[in-house]
Amino acid sequence: AAPLSATKSPLSATDEKLTSRKDITTYNNYYEFGTDKASPAQNAHTLKTTPWTVKVDGLVAKPAAYAVEDLIKESSLEERIYRMRCVEGWSMVIPWVGIPLADVIKRVEPQGSAKYVAFETAYRPDEMSGVDTLIPILDWPYVEGLRMDEAMHPLTILAVGLYGETLPNQNGAPIRLVVPWKYGFKGIKSITRISFVEKQPETSWNKQASNEYGFYANVNPAVDHPRWSQATERRIGEGGLFVKRRPTLMFNGYADQVAQLYMGMDLKKFY
Amino acid sequence: MAGQASTGGAKRGFSVPQIPKIAVYIVGFVPAVWLFYEGVNDRLGADPMRYLEQALGLWALRFLIASLTVTPLRQLFSVNLLRYRRALGLLAFYYAALHLLIYLVLDQGLDLAAIGADIIKRPYITIGMATFIILTPLALTSNNAAIKRLGGQAWARLHRLVYAAAIGAVLHFVLVVKSWPLEPLVYAAIVMALLGYRLARSFTKKPSPRRRPA
C-alpha cells in the first residue's frame, strides 16, 4: 500500500472511534476470493491492479477506457470517515480516501436520458480464486447500480484508499464505490466498468435473492432482512467477545443528508 | 447394557483398541476449551463473538454426525465403536447447549424480546431451537438408568429422534448463510447420506428378530 495525501472532508463522521486497520483489512466480504471473512485477505493478492482501466460507456458524451489514474486525477483526494453497515448485521467506521463520484460523472457528461449508473467488477478466474466454485456463489461478474441522484450525492465516493494509503486488494483495489447510507454490498469493488443507462440496472445480490436484497438496499432498522433482524448491529472491534449490540440508525445515520432522495417512497416496498 | 445389546450378533471386525470412554470426552472438549481460551485472549478475529458462536455450533453438528456414523461403520465395515456412541451424542448436546448459550447471552445480551421475535419470525432460529429441544430428552436419557426405566425398545424409538435433530441442524446451518456456499451443503450431503443409508437398509433388510434388552 502506497501513501496518499488527502484533505480532511467536512462530510466525515468525526465523533466515532475508527475501526482498526487490521480489522478493516482482514474481515471482508469479497466473494470473488472466497466466502470466509478471512479469505479475501489471504487470496486477493493474486489480483493484478496495475495497469487498470475503467470503461465508461452507455448514454454519455465521453465514453472511453480510462486509466484509473486519469479517471481521478482532476479531483483532489479527500479523507472521508464513514460508518459502514453490512447487511449481515455488523458495522465498522472506515477512513476512506477518495473522490466524489459526482466529479467523475460530470466530467464524462452523461446524456439527459441517463437515469441510472451501472457498475461492474473485474471478472478474472485466473486471478480470483473464488469465482470457479462448483455452485457459483453469485452470477459473475458482480454488478451494482445507483439512481442518478444517488450517484451524484456528495456523500457518494469512489474510494482508492483507506487509512491514508492505497486500498489493499481485499478492500476493492484499485477503485471501489462507497455509499455510506446503504448496506455494504452496494459498495462494489475493483470497478472495471461504469455505464450510464436509462433503466434500473440489475444488481448481483438482487439477482441472487430478490426477496432478500433490493436495488436500493438503504440501511433501515425498520425493514428486516427476511431471515434476520436489521434493528441492531455489532460494531467490529468493540468489546471483543462481549460486544454489545447498538441500535442501527435510519440511513445508517445519514438521514439528514439523504432522506429527501426517497420522499414519498414506500421503503418497505423499495428495500 | 441395552445400548450394546444389538452388537451380540455382529461379525467380529477390526479390533478397535479399547480407549477409555472418558478419553473421548476429554478430547471432545478440547475444541471448546481452545475456543474459549482464544476468545478470552481476543484471538478469534475481528468478530470474535460470532466466530465462537458459529464454531461451537459447527462442533455440535460434527459430533452429531460422528454419532450417526457408528451404525454404518459397524454394519458396512465391521468397525465397532458402539461403546463411544453415547459420548459422541452427549458431546453434540453439550456443544449445542454452549452454542445456544452464546447466542442467548453474548449475541442477544439476554434481550428476551429480541430472542422471542427471533424464535417466532426467523425460520433458521425456529429450527435451531426445535433441534435443541429434540436433543434435550435424548441427552437426559443417555444413561443406563433411563434405558432400564424406559425399556430397550421404547428407548430406541425415542432415540430415533436423532434423525430429526440431524436434519434440523443442517437446515439451521444452510438457512443462516448468504447464497449457497459449499460448507453447509457438504454437511447436509453427509447427513443425507447417513440417513439415506438407514432408509435404504430398512427397505432391503428383513427386520431382525427382536432382542430383549439386557
Side-chain angles (χ1 to χ4, degrees), chain A residues 27 137 224 227 234 245, chain B residues 47 107 122 175 177-179:
Chain A
Y27 193 77
I137 297 295
D224 286 346
R227 288 182 287 143
R234 299 185 316 284
R245 283 175 179 271
Chain B
D47 200 359
D107 189 342
R122 325 274 169 218
L175 285 176
V177 295
K178 281 160 54 195
S179 187

Side-chain angles (χ1 to χ4, degrees), chain B residues 16-39:
Chain B
V16 182
Q18 296 279 298
I19 320 163
K21 284 175 209 154
I22 186 75
V24 177
Y25 288 103
I26 291 169
V27 173
F29 275 117
V30 166
V33 172
W34 178 250
L35 283 165
F36 278 101
Y37 175 78
E38 292 287 280

